[in-house]
Amino acid sequence: MKIAFIGLGNMGGGMAANLVKAGHAVRAFDLSEDALARARDNGCQTYTSVREAVEGAEAVVSMLPNGKIVDSVYSADVIGHAPASALLLDCSTIDVDTARKVADAASAAGYEMVDAPVSGGIAAANGGTLTFMVGGSDQAFARAEPILAAMGKAVIHAGASGAGQAAKICNNMILGATMIATCEAFALAEKLGLDLQTFYDISSKASGQSWSMTSYCPVPGVGPASPADNGYQGGFAAALMLKDLKLAIEAAASVGARVPMGTRAGQLYEEFAAAGNGATDFSGIIKAL
Ligand code: NAD
């Protein structure tokens, strides 16, 4: 299949490479020359504009920084320029309203579109083990599934347009809050004189257990290997967790939902990032507790 890929950064670079490995002809574009050079090394054909990349494409995949950029790329250069038969898949993490607005504009021009944000970081993007949460019609999901399956281990239909983004921010709001709760419990356990491995052995089998504890323990040397064992580098940056929490808090305000834990998690990640830790893995917030 001819697939245009827009946004070949930390995540998109590996995802595009996995589409090539699956046998697709990938037509890549990014504003960064370095990203384009890496894409060529990975077997993509590169182009000098979005419009050139989407020419004749059967599908368009994007992995871009934020909603404003997604909106401008789709409205200026994808909609009306890619063939109307092309399936549009935006895998970026963006706000629900923009996801719905872009999908509506695409639909008005005769395209089918899904929002398909991911769970899993750079390692999962490179390894083809992402989880995709997909918003769109049944028919669009059926078309999207085999394309996304080449880049991930799970592809889940969350509901209508925007539902993928809604699932993503709700999931990450749980993650942000449980990571902080896990960090503060370990910090308190230490001050109370508990051995941290012993506390892990107890709590990981008791009701305090969570993914933040048993898959991504914020304490070095405790639990399976995690960024804590690597100086809190190379995982999911605190700045990206803050981005997702802000999206969740904004979405909550737009529908009148109360999210006091998510809001507090957002404040704590804001302070952590402002103190120069934006690039630190989000579990590194234990150092601030
Ligand atoms: P990144 O900054 O590494 O990559 C974004 C790429 O988009 C860059 O290469 C940039 O040059 C390119 N770009 C920006 N504007 C463009 C435009 N107008 N046209 C073409 N290319 C353009 O970011 P990333 O870490 O790859 O994240 C991408 C998306 O994935 C974000 O929405 C992020 O929230 C989400 N995400 C990231 C992670 C992670 O661990 N990094 C995990 C899950 C989801």
Side-chain angles (χ1 to χ4, degrees):
M1 199 177 205
K2 268 193 209 167
I3 302 180
F5 204 111
I6 319 297
L8 306 151
N10 288 323
M11 298 292 289
M15 292 164 69
N18 284 323
L19 289 176
V20 172
K21 279 186 207 151
H24 297 295
V26 178
R27 303 168 60 85
F29 176 71
D30 194 292
L31 295 175
S32 148
E33 265 309 318
D34 288 351
L36 288 173
R38 274 195 306 277
R40 277 192 292 275
D41 289 347
N42 288 330
C44 300
Q45 184 81 37
T46 60
Y47 294 87
T48 52
S49 69
V50 173
R51 288 188 189 186
E52 273 181 40
V54 303
E55 214 175 282
E58 294 162 86
V60 178
V61 180
S62 53
M63 195 54 166
L64 293 161
N66 60 49
K68 213 171 151 195
I69 294 175
V70 168
D71 190 8
S72 80
V73 165
Y74 276 88
S75 44
D77 295 318
V78 177
I79 296 171
H81 298 279
S85 55
L87 176 69
L88 312 182
L89 307 94
D90 179 41
C91 298
S92 328
T93 302
I94 68 170
D95 60 284
V96 177
D97 287 347
T98 301
R100 289 188 178 140
K101 179 187 155 203
V102 175
D104 286 348
S107 169
Y111 297 88
E112 281 186 320
M113 179 162 192
V114 295
D115 48 292
V118 306
S119 174
I122 300 163
N126 291 334
T129 57
L130 293 166
T131 294
F132 290 90
M133 303 159 226
V134 187
S137 68
D138 288 344
Q139 193 179 308
F141 176 75
R143 289 176 69 193
E145 196 176 18
I147 298 170
L148 298 173
M151 302 182 281
K153 66 171 165 37
V155 183
I156 302 160
H157 193 187
S161 186
Q165 298 294 351
K168 160 85 187 179
I169 56 172
C170 289
N171 179 74
N172 278 22
M173 190 173 75
I174 297 174
L175 179 61
T178 58
M179 179 54 81
I180 292 170
T182 303
C183 288
E184 64 187 26
F186 272 103
L188 174 62
E190 187 169 39
K191 288 217 161 97
L192 293 173
L194 273 169
D195 173 68
L196 293 186
Q197 179 65 52
T198 306
F199 175 59
Y200 175 88
D201 292 343
I202 294 166
S203 197
S204 63
K205 291 181 188 64
S207 46
Q209 187 273 344
S210 71
W211 187 91
S212 295
M213 178 180 288
T214 53
S215 295
Y216 212 95
C217 187
V219 179
V222 176
S226 72
D229 302 308
N230 190 31
Y232 300 100
Q233 298 305 311
F236 183 49
L240 285 172
M241 173 52 84
L242 177 58
K243 170 192 167 178
D244 292 358
L245 287 167
K246 281 184 174 166
L247 289 173
I249 294 161
E250 280 164 25
S254 77
V255 293
R258 285 192 66 223
V259 289
M261 299 294 285
T263 302
R264 188 70 186 117
Q267 289 163 348
L268 290 167
Y269 275 108
E270 183 115 54
E271 286 165 22
F272 186 61
N277 298 305
T280 302
D281 181 75
F282 79 113
S283 65
I285 201 164
I286 194 168
K287 295 188 288 182
L289 294 162

